[in-house]
Amino acid sequence: MRFQTPLVPATLLRRYKRFLADCLLEDGREVTAHVANPGSMLGMKDEGLRIWLEPNDDPKRKLKWAWRLVDHGNGHFTGVDTSVPNRVLKAELMAGQVAGLDGYDLVRPEVKYGTNSRIDFLLTGESRADCYVEVKSVTLSRQPGLAEFPDSVTARGTKHLAELSEMARQGRRAVMLYLVQRTDCTRVTLASDIDPAYGAGFEKAQAAGVEAMALGCQISPEGISLGTPLPVSSV
C-alpha cells in the first residue's frame, strides 16, 4: 500500500484527545494532524519524536494532515494508523499470498458473528472449514526486537478471543493474527502485565484451538506492505 501523497517529516509536539496531534514542520509551521489510532500509543507519543505526516487537500476533511509514521532514526519505522493492517492484508488474502491462509475461494471482510461483533475476515472454500481471522495492529515494543500486544487494557480484544474460541469449538478454523507495524521487531508476545485478562483470554483461546499467527511489515515513507511471519509466544 503506497501513501496517496508524499509524506512530510515533522516533530511531534503533543498527542491529545486520542485523535489529535500538534506537530512542528521543518519550515517552522505548527499544524494539527489526525491520529488514526484510538489506543494508548505507549512509547510513541513522546514530545520530540521524529514523525511523518501525510498532507491532503480534501475539502471534506477538517484536518489537512494525518500522522502516519514514527521514525526511530535508525532506519526503522512504526506505522501509527490502525486501519492499515486490514487494508494491507485484504489485498494479500484475496490474492492468496498469505502463507497459512491461502487456498480459500472467497475472502469476506467485516462479517457479523458472535455477540454484536464482526470478524475482520471470513475465508471460505469448498471442502474446507470456514476460517475466522481476527487482526490486531501491534506497535508496542519495550525490549529490543520484541513486539507486544496490547498496549492498554482491551476488553474488546478479550471478547474477540472468547468469540474466536467459540468458533473453534464449533469446528471452524479460528485465527488470531497480530500484524506488527514495526520494522525493528522479530518476535511477538503478550503484554500480560498491562492487561492480565487479555493474557488469560489468550491462553484459554489457544486451549480451545485458536491459532496464533504474526506477520511483520515493510515500512518506509513511501508505503507499507506485508513482511515475513514472526513467532508468537504468550510469555
Side-chain angles (χ1 to χ4, degrees):
M1 184 201 82
R2 294 189 64 84
F3 294 113
Q4 293 182 351
T5 55
L7 301 192
V8 175
T11 299
L12 179 65
L13 298 178
R14 64 179 183 131
R15 183 241 187 167
Y16 58 103
K17 294 183 179 179
R18 297 176 72 192
F19 300 108
L20 299 175
D22 289 338
C23 314
L24 180 65
L25 301 182
E26 290 187 332
D27 63 8
R29 285 182 294 156
E30 288 190 20
V31 299
T32 300
H34 177 250
V35 185
N37 189 323
S40 75
M41 295 182 66
L42 182 63
M44 296 199 305
K45 57 185 179 182
D46 298 333
E47 180 181 353
L49 277 179
R50 178 176 169 82
I51 62 175
W52 290 81
L53 306 179
E54 185 174 24
N56 76 83
D57 56 5
D58 187 343
K60 296 181 180 179
R61 294 186 183 182
K62 293 182 179 179
L63 298 176
K64 301 304 178 184
W65 300 88
W67 181 6
R68 297 301 185 214
L69 304 178
V70 170
D71 188 335
H72 298 289
N74 54 3
H76 289 292
F77 298 88
T78 295
V80 170
D81 189 341
T82 56
S83 71
V84 164
N86 283 25
R87 283 185 281 158
V88 170
L89 191 59
K90 181 180 178 180
E92 297 296 314
L93 286 172
M94 295 182 72
Q97 296 299 309
V98 181
L101 297 175
D102 53 339
Y104 290 90
D105 301 324
L106 184 63
V107 176
R108 298 166 57 200
E110 296 293 319
V111 177
K112 290 183 179 180
Y113 87 121
T115 305
N116 297 320
S117 293
R118 291 178 181 270
I119 193 69
D120 286 316
F121 296 101
L122 176 59
L123 314 183
T124 57
E126 187 175 354
S127 302
R128 302 188 69 174
D130 292 351
C131 181
Y132 289 75
V133 182
E134 183 69 33
V135 184
K136 298 299 181 188
S137 173
V138 183
T139 59
L140 174 63
S141 179
R142 294 179 292 178
Q143 300 179 39
L146 181 64
E148 299 177 84
F149 184 88
D151 65 359
S152 62
V153 173
T154 172
R156 184 168 177 264
T158 303
K159 176 188 175 187
H160 288 159
L161 287 172
E163 290 174 332
L164 284 175
S165 299
E166 182 58 29
M167 293 300 103
R169 283 190 285 266
Q170 292 178 16
R172 277 89 164 183
R173 187 182 177 196
V175 178
M176 183 67 253
L177 176 58
Y178 298 100
L179 194 57
V180 179
Q181 284 203 81
R182 299 186 66 110
T183 60
D184 59 356
C185 292
T186 58
R187 62 195 195 281
V188 184
T189 192
L190 301 184
S192 295
D193 60 316
I194 292 177
D195 190 348
Y198 186 88
F202 181 88
E203 296 289 348
K204 291 178 180 178
Q206 285 207 304
V210 176
E211 303 170 43
M213 298 177 60
L215 291 170
C217 285
Q218 296 176 340
I219 304 173
S220 75
E222 284 70 49
I224 299 178
S225 60
L226 285 187
T228 59
L230 303 177
V232 184
S233 68
S234 59
V235 293

